[in-house]
Amino acid sequence: MPRRSDLSSVLVIGSGPIVIGQAAEFDYSGTQACRVLRDEGLRVILVNSNPATIMTDPEFADATYIEPITPDVVASIIAKERPDAILPTLGGQTALNTAIALDESGVLAQYEVEMIGVNTASIHLAEDREAFKEVVERCGAESARSSIVQSMEGALQAADELGYPIVVRPSFTMGGLGSGIAHDETDLRRIVGSGLHYSPTAEVLLEESILGWKEYELELVRDSADNVVAVCSIENIDPVGVHTGDSITVAPAVTLTDQEFQKLRDVGIAIIREVGVDTGGCNIQFALHPHTGRVVVIEMNPRVSRSSALASKATGYPIAKIAAKLAIGYTLDEITNDITGTTPAAFEPTMDYVAVKVPRFNFEKFPAAEPLLTTTMKSVGEAMALGRNFTEALQKGLRSIDTPEIAFDYSGPAPDADRTAELLEQIATPTPERLIQVQQAVRGGARLDQIVAATGIDPWFVDQLLLLQEVADEIAATPRLDADVLRRAKRHGFSDQQIGDIRGLSEATVRELRHAFGLHPVYKTVDTCAGEFPAIMPYYYSSYDTQTEVAPRKRPAVLILGSGPNRIGQGIEFDYSCVHAALALQDRYETVMVNCNPETVSTDYDTADRLYFEPLTLEDVLEVYRAESAAGEVAGVIVQLGGQTPLSLAADLEAAGLPIWGTSPSAIDAAEHRGQFGQVLLAAGLPAPAFGTAISLEQARQVADQIGYPVLVRPSYVLGGRGMEIVYDEEQLTDYLRRATGVSGSAAEHATLPAPVLVDRFLDQAIEVDVDAIYDGEELFLGGVMEHIEEAGIHSGDSSCVMPPITLSDSMVARIRESTEAIAREVGVRGLLNIQFALAADVLYVLEANPRASRTAPFVSKATGVALAKAAALVMSGMSIAQLRSDGVLPAQDAIATSPNAPIAVKEAVLPFKRFSTPKGNVVDTVLGPEMRSTGEVMGVDVDFPLAFAKSQAAAFGGLPMSGTVFVSVADRDKRSLVLPVSRLVELGFTILATAGTASVLNRNGIPCTVVRKASDGPGPDGQGTIVDLIRAGQVDMVINTPGSRRARADGHDIRTATTVADRAIVTTMQQFSAAVQGIEAQRRGPFAVRALQEYARPGGGLAAVETRPVQDAGPAVDEA
Amino acid sequence: MIRALETVQGSAYGPDEALLVLEDGTAARGRAYGAKGRAAGDMVFTTSMTGYQEVLTDPRHAGQIVMMTAPHVGNVGMIPEDSRSGRIWASGLIVRDPARRASHWRAETELDAELRAQDVVGIAEVDTRALTRHLRDHGVLRAGIFSGPHLPSVPGPQGIQPLLAQVRQSAAITGTALSEQVSTAAAYTLEPDGNPDQQGPTVAVLDLGMDTRTLRALTGRGLRAHVLPAAAGADQVLAGDPDGVFFTNGPGDPAEMDRAVEVARAVLAAKIPFLGLGLGHQILGRALGLETYALHAGHRGRNHPVQELDTGKVLITTHNHGFAVQAPTAEPIAEPAMSPYEGGRFGRVRVSHVSLTDQVVEGLECVDVPALSVQFHPGAGHEAGRPYDRFAAMISTDAATRVASEEN
Ligand SMILES: Nc1ncnc2c1ncn2[C@@H]1O[C@H](COP(=O)(O)OP(=O)(O)O)[C@@H](O)[C@H]1O
Ligand SMILES: Nc1ncnc2c1ncn2[C@@H]1O[C@H](COP(=O)(O)OP(=O)(O)O)[C@@H](O)[C@H]1O
Ligand SMILES: [Mg+2]
Ligand SMILES: [Mg+2]
């Protein structure tokens, strides 16, 4: 059936901020969908609150709403745009849940909007755990034995029948939120409690444990003619019990017999039909008993998912793109396979290589959390690697995740018998290091059966580790590293570095030797068909095999190095900039993307002209460069846009003779290196906070005394503020350094620290300002000045900020511009520059300068309508700002010189605290600090700050309360500024609860409030609950709690975590509090008005910056209804 | 390294090495796998990612050196019940990364051991993708695997020349009938599943070299299977008045199977319901007067989209065929056309299924006689089992009309 002619406009719902379990993969799928729908001539209306996405670039939709994805807001968009259809299957669980709400509330019917891709009934069948079990039964398959409960009593009763351990799984959540394994009644009470809370339907499923079974996934696609194809099978190396998002996985499945595979496929197809997914992709998970072959269906997701993004990248079969086409009426046989250009999409891809996905964790950001892998997903990103065999793919995958501890180490002495025995015990518990521990155990001589018994990992995989060990032994034992040994090592994925470590040689020496033998990888094509048909898509991966497939080319190439796996501090924002570079340069160059993140738009084969799915290490990048140089001229290599990962390769790549575009590696060093940067600032006449460096505790104390407390301490080389702390006194300093050295007692006094620590003067009560700019060597383009809402001291990635700045004077902005220009000039920037300033007592301090794409570049671009990253890529290619201005790429004036009716944009960070719990099973503390912990961000945009802020809160979490009860408990230093906002809340009708100290301040100021008991007071004589009890009971709608003295911290901790668990608004700084009060007032004036980016960009729409002439006196844009 | 023979260099051959030589002079050096010795045959590749055991034991691979495009082979060992026949039929095996150990609770032996036990010569650690691309571009080629005593004593081209000569002398499948070598030696009967005593309709099965799961599709539908050797003549097939006739799949070139074609014509003339599968489908084509031809590189794998032309539905099917039937008409392909044999003696025929990747005919259906055939394997229990259902239905309608006409 061809495309439906009755559809002319479609509303696509995105997935909102990047959170654990719902990440960049939905930008990839959503972007594909938008592209497809527009190519088909449909009017695309998009809603997504996440500005860091490619899909929210104005050119991907006809009307782009960066608005909160709440049923109310989406209903307003529907009322305004009147789309014919709504497509909710490409925006994760968020989109699906929003669509159900709109359907149930009658909005879809009222505006005659058809849900395409899926229907409410099938969503229910798939997502409602009990209904789904019946589906499975009707399909002649089995589910784990289980019982649905709606209450704690029910849970305890069911537990008696099922026996422990029991798996608890709430309905309608994603990424395993609120689920867990209960080994006893205490566990059960805790997990069921939170499960009942997180489930939108307040029900959880208790299930027979199938821990230790083999876990598989199947990606299926169905069209409206009921044709179904199985796109990919995925096997989890970690057995059932570790969430698939946290498992190391392999595609295709490698330990299934044909009969077993056929059974999974048949059951999968029967289920997709029975559930009634109309068109599009779905994901089904299976467990298979390793000794009986019994198959249990775990769950089904009736939408594209993280795994479908993985399957798409692993096979070259673009599930989301095809799902979008199917949703508007096409059938599989009518869609062409892009990769071959001749065969139809109605087939099942076959792979002649192996794909391995390795999750990336960030437990170090949450020191209080226990680094255990369970049924709740905790990884923040992933890397995929392709190889012609499992060992090659696995080792490439491990080096792709850019975590030095997570790599197979064969150097130095092997673990002794005691250590090996200890490792055998440790590997029974899944953690991020488990596979590394298994490898070390193998090194220490553990037997295959011992490892299989301890971990449940399939013997085939364990045997592959034995194989690696044999190769490592061979490398160690050979008298001479000859071509044969090297070839064998390479065939199994050993890096030059690993080989060098084993042989006591440098990586460079091994590389020289290898090159002398003429040993280089070849590049094979991901072609969906194992070579059966010619491929026309240059989607490559390396392998040490014999025949290369890289095609020669005529145009000069630009290599763009991506950012690797997402992690806290280096997320989707960097991918955004890389994609923009590819788009900006494709007219003049053959763009070549190098990246290893399967979730992203950059690794879509449609994005750049060529794609190399490769780890971002020196060795791998050098080989790609070599292969591309053989194919034609390579004009330049871009390392500035992918964040710290490619940036850290810059100097070595330059030394190897690669043409690095943009800011030179030595200039990058000048900005990153403390001493050199001090010189830069001196030359520019700009102040920085006083600082010193120390290599022992004693020295650190001296430095701190000189500078004066409070100080900010951190190890000398950090990313994303890792290991940073604000220290108020000597005692705290000693404590920090003891933790840093790991040495206790008096020995710590004189011990040398593992790395020097930097001690900075901490600027108290300073306003932090983030700046993004482009410099071409002569001229500066100021892209954006963002004023942080929180004071300096909260990582720029975690604090909310507003643009244009709302309290900075014009002269201050002018000063910021001058300072930025001076730094750009002194450092020698060519391209993007991001600077964080702190304004304290009218002195503008420079905190740091990053001569690279920043996390804020996409936000700034969305807020101003100027595509910064694109312009930066062009500047790096040698164009001047003046030229870009005359070409219309950049506006005549700085982007911040906006018209008076410019919209106000607020960026808010989204934090993952809920997913991390302490060994006691409590959620970790949620207070913000100089260490970045957010996973994503949202943008709220409107005519004024209060509205924009309120929108940002609604988008980031449930939103600010309209009315109800507010609990206030602040640190002493904040008590003075408390009065005004609290009295305003009282005027608005809120009830105020406070702890004794805060209450007495309020009472003395004539503000009525009720005193509540602190958690440390315990329950009252008449059984009155503490504040924590009240929060848990859902009786508090917002909590204001600023952390104060150490003594108060423990109380604060309980309050904040209880609030986080209860999903209520929590405010931990006074600035946030004022903003929140303003936001509450604003949202009480009526429902949010919605406006598309395209409307803002229109003449008079407020973003006059993109026009050559400032628009005066233009009234607000007219909404077309 | 796969390369033209002239450029093969290097050191003397080690005892565990093996050499693959193609008739066009391409050669690759790898490691010996399975038995050591010499294998010869048409080299074909299959893109199935699972099921190397099913592939190797499929009689349709008789006379072929099979290359698996999936890199890891042997992971689940060998499981006797899963075999497609009692032995390995492929004459040689080419893989990239053979398993070092089998990992499956049902596995009884390792693939490597089984290859050695059945004296099947293999080669491992060659660039299977490069070789696949080579076959894709050049079509099926004869090849030889040489290891152990058959390795040349001198390295380089002059050592390989004699091996190349051997490869060029070996028989190709095009032009060879193989069914009789593979088929059952004696006739036998299988009763319908679940009711051994009941007299279900009987189907005469001409075993052209089928795999064992084929009959399950009949007995599972309440049909009795009376299986005959490939050499059986029309009198034997029609003896006992069968309710239907089934020509199975099997190896070899259909153009060389005149006798089977004649048997098919006798069945069509008698208007007995006929089902052809694989080779049996090609025989039906020939019986109707259609030509068969060798495919460039063949269809081998489990991911082939086939469209059912009357419904438009796409079936994902398992293929293993190197020959195909020429379509009776040009566009539109689904239109019935007069079958060419003897000026339309068997009436009209239409193409019922086509491959979506290359439009090859994948099924035929006669309009005026009760006969149909499919090229692909409909599978058991899968959605693609419709041809068997149609056949069973044809048999019962036929029986009903017969009963009706007898009553009249
Ligand atoms: N009955 C069970 N026993 C043990 N582990 C289970 C069970 N059911 C699911 N799991 C594990 O929990 C993980 C998450 O469960 P799943 O149903 O897939 O939830 P989600 O919606 O978060 O993906 C699975 O990947 C699996 O490893
Ligand atoms: N001297 C200082 N005084 C106050 N706050 C600071 C100071 N230095 C850094 N910060 C805070 O710490 C955060 C992280 O520091 P920064 O140097 O930007 O590290 P990163 O490289 O992780 O971005 C900043 O965003 C700022 O809020
Ligand atoms: Mg899941
Ligand atoms: Mg910073």
Side-chain angles (χ1 to χ4, degrees), chain A residues 1026-1039:
Chain A
T1026 68
I1027 179 60
V1028 173
D1029 298 329
L1030 294 179
I1031 293 169
R1032 288 207 182 118
Q1035 292 172 15
V1036 178
D1037 300 289
M1038 180 160 86
V1039 167

mmCIF file of all heavy atoms in Angstrom, chain A residues 1026-1039:
data_model
loop_
_atom_site.group_PDB
_atom_site.id
_atom_site.type_symbol
_atom_site.label_atom_id
_atom_site.label_comp_id
_atom_site.label_asym_id
_atom_site.label_seq_id
_atom_site.Cartn_x
_atom_site.Cartn_y
_atom_site.Cartn_z
ATOM 1 N N THR A 1026 7.667 12.903 61.629
ATOM 2 C CA THR A 1026 8.705 13.879 61.321
ATOM 3 C C THR A 1026 8.460 14.397 59.913
ATOM 4 O O THR A 1026 7.601 13.881 59.188
ATOM 5 C CB THR A 1026 10.096 13.226 61.347
ATOM 6 O OG1 THR A 1026 10.168 12.309 60.250
ATOM 7 C CG2 THR A 1026 10.341 12.496 62.648
ATOM 8 N N ILE A 1027 9.240 15.382 59.552
ATOM 9 C CA ILE A 1027 9.083 15.928 58.205
ATOM 10 C C ILE A 1027 9.288 14.848 57.146
ATOM 11 O O ILE A 1027 8.574 14.804 56.139
ATOM 12 C CB ILE A 1027 10.026 17.140 57.997
ATOM 13 C CG1 ILE A 1027 9.872 17.689 56.569
ATOM 14 C CG2 ILE A 1027 11.483 16.796 58.259
ATOM 15 C CD1 ILE A 1027 8.505 18.162 56.209
ATOM 16 N N VAL A 1028 10.231 13.962 57.424
ATOM 17 C CA VAL A 1028 10.481 12.907 56.446
ATOM 18 C C VAL A 1028 9.241 12.021 56.273
ATOM 19 O O VAL A 1028 8.858 11.663 55.157
ATOM 20 C CB VAL A 1028 11.719 12.072 56.852
ATOM 21 C CG1 VAL A 1028 11.879 10.876 55.934
ATOM 22 C CG2 VAL A 1028 12.967 12.944 56.816
ATOM 23 N N ASP A 1029 8.580 11.746 57.393
ATOM 24 C CA ASP A 1029 7.345 10.951 57.298
ATOM 25 C C ASP A 1029 6.293 11.664 56.465
ATOM 26 O O ASP A 1029 5.594 11.064 55.654
ATOM 27 C CB ASP A 1029 6.773 10.680 58.699
ATOM 28 C CG ASP A 1029 7.743 9.868 59.546
ATOM 29 O OD1 ASP A 1029 8.491 9.056 58.968
ATOM 30 O OD2 ASP A 1029 7.765 10.075 60.784
ATOM 31 N N LEU A 1030 6.184 12.994 56.711
ATOM 32 C CA LEU A 1030 5.174 13.759 55.975
ATOM 33 C C LEU A 1030 5.470 13.752 54.479
ATOM 34 O O LEU A 1030 4.568 13.626 53.655
ATOM 35 C CB LEU A 1030 5.133 15.214 56.473
ATOM 36 C CG LEU A 1030 4.653 15.414 57.914
ATOM 37 C CD1 LEU A 1030 4.676 16.902 58.293
ATOM 38 C CD2 LEU A 1030 3.237 14.869 58.079
ATOM 39 N N ILE A 1031 6.749 13.897 54.156
ATOM 40 C CA ILE A 1031 7.111 13.906 52.736
ATOM 41 C C ILE A 1031 6.786 12.552 52.111
ATOM 42 O O ILE A 1031 6.163 12.467 51.054
ATOM 43 C CB ILE A 1031 8.611 14.231 52.549
ATOM 44 C CG1 ILE A 1031 8.881 15.669 52.983
ATOM 45 C CG2 ILE A 1031 9.044 14.017 51.099
ATOM 46 C CD1 ILE A 1031 10.347 16.032 53.091
ATOM 47 N N ARG A 1032 7.166 11.503 52.837
ATOM 48 C CA ARG A 1032 6.905 10.155 52.313
ATOM 49 C C ARG A 1032 5.424 9.923 52.119
ATOM 50 O O ARG A 1032 5.006 9.238 51.192
ATOM 51 C CB ARG A 1032 7.460 9.100 53.266
ATOM 52 C CG ARG A 1032 8.977 9.054 53.218
ATOM 53 C CD ARG A 1032 9.496 7.685 53.603
ATOM 54 N NE ARG A 1032 10.954 7.706 53.581
ATOM 55 C CZ ARG A 1032 11.714 7.487 54.650
ATOM 56 N NH1 ARG A 1032 11.160 7.178 55.817
ATOM 57 N NH2 ARG A 1032 13.017 7.550 54.545
ATOM 58 N N ALA A 1033 4.639 10.524 52.993
ATOM 59 C CA ALA A 1033 3.190 10.319 52.899
ATOM 60 C C ALA A 1033 2.572 11.184 51.814
ATOM 61 O O ALA A 1033 1.356 11.196 51.638
ATOM 62 C CB ALA A 1033 2.549 10.616 54.257
ATOM 63 N N GLY A 1034 3.407 11.944 51.122
ATOM 64 C CA GLY A 1034 2.887 12.748 50.024
ATOM 65 C C GLY A 1034 2.173 14.001 50.485
ATOM 66 O O GLY A 1034 1.361 14.576 49.760
ATOM 67 N N GLN A 1035 2.442 14.466 51.735
ATOM 68 C CA GLN A 1035 1.710 15.626 52.246
ATOM 69 C C GLN A 1035 2.450 16.938 52.023
ATOM 70 O O GLN A 1035 2.020 17.981 52.500
ATOM 71 C CB GLN A 1035 1.427 15.435 53.739
ATOM 72 C CG GLN A 1035 0.423 14.308 53.945
ATOM 73 C CD GLN A 1035 0.261 13.938 55.405
ATOM 74 O OE1 GLN A 1035 0.679 14.678 56.284
ATOM 75 N NE2 GLN A 1035 -0.354 12.804 55.659
ATOM 76 N N VAL A 1036 3.599 16.878 51.343
ATOM 77 C CA VAL A 1036 4.362 18.105 51.102
ATOM 78 C C VAL A 1036 4.545 18.238 49.597
ATOM 79 O O VAL A 1036 4.878 17.276 48.917
ATOM 80 C CB VAL A 1036 5.742 18.015 51.799
ATOM 81 C CG1 VAL A 1036 6.565 19.263 51.531
ATOM 82 C CG2 VAL A 1036 5.562 17.788 53.288
ATOM 83 N N ASP A 1037 4.279 19.460 49.076
ATOM 84 C CA ASP A 1037 4.332 19.623 47.624
ATOM 85 C C ASP A 1037 5.643 20.206 47.124
ATOM 86 O O ASP A 1037 5.987 20.055 45.961
ATOM 87 C CB ASP A 1037 3.171 20.505 47.170
ATOM 88 C CG ASP A 1037 1.851 19.875 47.540
ATOM 89 O OD1 ASP A 1037 1.487 18.873 46.922
ATOM 90 O OD2 ASP A 1037 1.206 20.359 48.502
ATOM 91 N N MET A 1038 6.326 20.910 48.002
ATOM 92 C CA MET A 1038 7.619 21.450 47.580
ATOM 93 C C MET A 1038 8.493 21.561 48.815
ATOM 94 O O MET A 1038 8.004 21.852 49.909
ATOM 95 C CB MET A 1038 7.430 22.819 46.919
ATOM 96 C CG MET A 1038 8.729 23.440 46.452
ATOM 97 S SD MET A 1038 8.486 24.736 45.200
ATOM 98 C CE MET A 1038 8.192 26.142 46.218
ATOM 99 N N VAL A 1039 9.777 21.332 48.609
ATOM 100 C CA VAL A 1039 10.696 21.381 49.735
ATOM 101 C C VAL A 1039 11.802 22.383 49.418
ATOM 102 O O VAL A 1039 12.394 22.338 48.343
ATOM 103 C CB VAL A 1039 11.303 19.980 49.990
ATOM 104 C CG1 VAL A 1039 12.488 20.069 50.948
ATOM 105 C CG2 VAL A 1039 10.244 19.041 50.539
#
